[in-house]
Amino acid sequence: MSAPGTGQPPPGDALSAGMRTIREFAGVHEVWPRGDRLQAVREAALAYRERFRGQGRIHAVRSFDIAAAPYPTRYAFHGAAIGPNPFVNIVNRVLVVHFDGFDKVPRTLVWEPTVAAGSSTAPFYAQLKRLAGDFLSDRVFTRYYHEPEEVLPLCGLRPEDVDYVSFDHLHVQDVRLIMGSSKPLAGQAAPPEPLFPRASLLVHRKELGTFASPHPMQWAWYVDGGMDGVPEDRVAAFDADVELGVGVSLLWTPGHTDGNHSLVLNTPDGIWVSSENGVAADNWQPELSRIPGVRRHARFFRHEIVPNANTLEDSLDQYDSMVKEKTLADRSARDPRWLQILPSSEIARWKRQWPVWPTYSHGGLRYGSFPGEAAEGRAETP
């Protein structure tokens, strides 16, 4: 059975999986005019921040690098960055989060488990490979660190321990390689098995709609057929801002894509946000940036953010969403100038990309201990 007119499985309702709607953000994305909307978003984020903090903390989180992929410099900072190399590299990272549901049952979320083999088939990267050739694409532009299934043993977990999988959006994701499919992929005899056999995919309903019927301006970033045959009972959709459990929320942050959402965690060091609305801390705090052009661009236009802009489905919405993120995030315990926002894909500090290097990098997240691990006490960001 498919959802009408989409060819995709009809998603289940994520709220039935124990999630709760965040009341503070109800209606803020409909406020008009747009300047008033930005203020409404900011005020709602401030109100929710205090309530979220008081609900409790997660048990544990670890981040792991997955792969580094080429990315046009002009996209990374909305054309503001100045450098000799037309490409930077962004490193995809996965987060494994252990927390209590509101029913007090422990649960595990895997955030951004990108399968690089699937991402390479997205039209943008497939065409880039044809232009650059196999050597540049596979040996120079790309670097591999972990497969998503390799990180679970490092946390003392098994694939069947994972309850939820989610991405901030579905750019360059072949969901079939993660959630499984009833149909074989091209050139394969058997359908792909799920990486996490018990997990539900948590996804904003608008992102599913875009995947099913992308606009030409969205086409280059979505894997064609990337959700074909994904079992309908493995997909749980939501429509707005939701709480997943104690210390874990998924905030609707539209703009980069219509269904974009961001992960918010409460940890011993306060609130963290993970997002790909930016690819460096500089995107959220351009006034501190040492990347040539970024600070000047923000000052000239009186912008408090500079977006990651490979797609601008709604640049005003993305601006508001990044303000929403930075309003929620606490300041870093290591360097209080910087907010605790961790890009889900972050620019690598590679020599050939100079001077387009992150001014500051948090490096990753590591707190607490998972079941089966020795207790670690407070863990540090590596």
Side-chain angles (χ1 to χ4, degrees), residues 271-289:
I271 298 173
W272 284 86
V273 177
S274 178
S275 167
E276 204 180 281
N277 275 315
V279 291
D282 305 67
N283 292 94
W284 287 273
Q285 295 180 266
E287 72 281 3
L288 300 178
S289 180

Side-chain angles (χ1 to χ4, degrees), residues 7 32 41 126 199 252 263 281 285 319:
W32 183 265
V41 168
W252 183 35
L263 176 67
Q285 295 180 266
Y319 190 107

Side-chain angles (χ1 to χ4, degrees), residues 40-165:
V41 168
R42 197 188 307 271
E43 290 174 357
L46 281 169
Y48 179 60
R49 184 172 182 259
E50 296 313 309
R51 185 168 71 82
F52 176 71
R53 190 194 308 279
Q55 290 181 172
R57 299 171 181 168
I58 60 172
H59 294 308
V61 60
R62 300 278 190 282
S63 64
F64 302 90
D65 292 344
I66 295 292
Y71 193 65
T73 304
R74 69 180 184 276
Y75 292 160
F77 298 96
H78 200 189
I82 299 171
N85 196 324
F87 286 93
V88 292
N89 270 74
I90 53 174
V91 180
N92 310 124
R93 54 165 54 102
V94 59
L95 271 65
V96 184
V97 186
H98 188 57
F99 63 98
D100 281 339
F102 294 119
D103 56 4
K104 303 188 185 305
V105 175
R107 291 190 170 89
T108 299
L109 164 72
V110 178
W111 173 256
E112 298 282 337
T114 298
V115 175
S119 298
S120 67
T121 66
F124 176 83
Y125 284 111
Q127 293 184 109
L128 185 62
K129 185 171 183 176
R130 284 197 294 271
L131 291 171
D134 290 346
F135 177 79
L136 283 177
S137 295
D138 298 335
R139 301 289 184 87
V140 178
F141 287 160
T142 306
R143 187 176 297 175
Y144 301 98
Y145 303 99
H146 295 95
E147 294 291 341
E149 63 270 27
E150 294 173 351
V151 306
L152 292 179
L154 302 177
C155 300
L157 298 172
R158 304 164 301 169
E160 55 267 33
D161 293 326
V162 177
D163 299 283
Y164 304 117
V165 170

Side-chain angles (χ1 to χ4, degrees), residues 37-47 304 319 323-324 327:
R37 184 182 305 179
L38 172 60
Q39 184 60 26
V41 168
R42 197 188 307 271
E43 290 174 357
L46 281 169
E304 63 181 289
Y319 190 107
V323 169
K324 186 178 188 176
T327 302

Side-chain angles (χ1 to χ4, degrees), residues 23 82 107 118 128 183 188 198 203 226 238 286 332 353 380:
R23 62 180 181 270
I82 299 171
R107 291 190 170 89
L128 185 62
K183 303 175 182 179
Q188 297 186 8
R198 290 184 51 256
V203 58
F238 58 94
S332 169
Q353 296 175 186
E380 71 285 352

